Amino acid sequence: MEKHFLHMVMLGCTPNGRFTEQHDIFFGIGSSLKELVPDMNAFWPEAKGRIHIDAWQKITFADGYTIEVISKNEKTTQEEQVFFLNLGGYKKGEFEEYHYKIVTVAKTKAEAIKKAKQTVFYKHCGFKGAESHIDDKYGVDVDDIHNIEEILSDKFKSEFALKITKTNATFEDEKHIGYLKIDKIDA
């Protein structure tokens, strides 16, 4: 059987009627990025197939845990969950909101938020009147983070689960950064 991975993909598009490029994060499960192209297009139908990728990575490790994709039938009982957080922050004098995406392992949303507040981004991308926040509200609100298994499409949820295992190994998943046309994906 082919090995499947959890993929996190930053999609970009300038939809009709918009003046700037828009972004969203897609999570999918597959053996390759190319295999997920139809799912990415289905995820953002308003883009009408004109999306591109600005960044992507396989999620196999976070916070001292390995993250494996297993069959839904093999689902094991575990307290840990994999969360996605989108932090927003500002720099004085710059007409921009900066974002920092986090994938973290925690038992609860509150624990995931606590970890996010320890990041350098959260501590240093804000100033009085424009504090760092977990999008899309000022302050921290549990509605602004997502358990990744819950936001996967029904297609993926019906077939797969995430197995989270504590490990002593420390490494980072490779981040692929830069503009990539969907039709140019080769793997």
Side-chain angles (χ1 to χ4, degrees):
M1 183 175 163
E2 243 180 328
K3 187 162 176 74
H4 289 85
F5 299 95
L6 174 65
H7 291 80
M8 179 171 78
V9 184
M10 181 187 300
L11 300 174
C13 173
T14 305
N16 285 336
R18 299 291 175 208
F19 299 113
T20 61
E21 183 178 327
Q22 313 288 296
H23 293 95
D24 205 347
I25 299 294
F26 165 82
F27 288 95
I29 293 175
S31 58
S32 70
L33 188 62
K34 187 173 189 162
E35 175 186 331
L36 296 174
V37 169
D39 301 293
M40 288 182 240
N41 283 318
F43 171 75
W44 199 349
E46 302 82 9
K48 297 184 167 75
R50 295 184 319 243
I51 57 176
H52 63 270
I53 294 172
D54 284 308
W56 70 275
Q57 75 182 77
K58 291 179 185 173
I59 306 292
T60 65
F61 182 83
D63 294 338
Y65 292 85
T66 58
I67 300 164
E68 296 175 82
V69 173
I70 60 173
S71 166
K72 187 75 168 181
N73 300 332
E74 297 176 48
K75 181 70 174 154
T76 59
T77 304
Q78 58 197 14
E79 291 184 34
E80 292 80 12
Q81 303 167 67
V82 185
F83 291 97
F84 166 71
L85 295 91
N86 182 34
L87 304 181
Y90 306 94
K91 293 181 181 178
K92 196 167 187 97
E94 293 189 27
F95 194 77
E96 184 66 58
E97 179 185 5
Y98 296 94
H99 288 94
Y100 185 68
K101 279 88 174 126
I102 297 174
V103 173
T104 190
V105 174
K107 292 180 182 176
T108 65
K109 287 184 177 183
E111 183 183 332
I113 289 169
K114 185 176 179 181
K115 286 182 176 185
K117 286 176 139 184
Q118 300 308 308
T119 64
V120 171
F121 179 91
Y122 193 88
K123 291 178 179 180
H124 299 289
C125 277
F127 53 93
K128 188 168 177 65
E131 289 78 12
S132 297
H133 60 280
I134 296 176
D135 260 359
D136 60 344
K137 297 178 181 133
Y138 289 105
V140 176
D141 189 315
V142 295
D143 292 333
D144 301 322
I145 73 172
H146 303 280
N147 178 324
I148 292 175
E149 281 191 286
E150 292 174 0
I151 63 172
L152 287 168
S153 73
D154 289 340
K155 170 187 170 181
F156 300 125
K157 285 194 273 192
S158 67
E159 193 174 340
F160 302 107
L162 299 179
K163 181 180 177 184
I164 304 160
T165 308
K166 185 72 177 153
T167 181
N168 290 327
T170 57
F171 61 90
E172 279 193 35
D173 291 316
E174 181 181 3
K175 291 173 176 57
H176 304 269
I177 310 295
Y179 184 90
L180 175 61
K181 287 184 160 190
I182 294 279
D183 61 353
K184 300 294 183 203
I185 298 172
D186 58 6

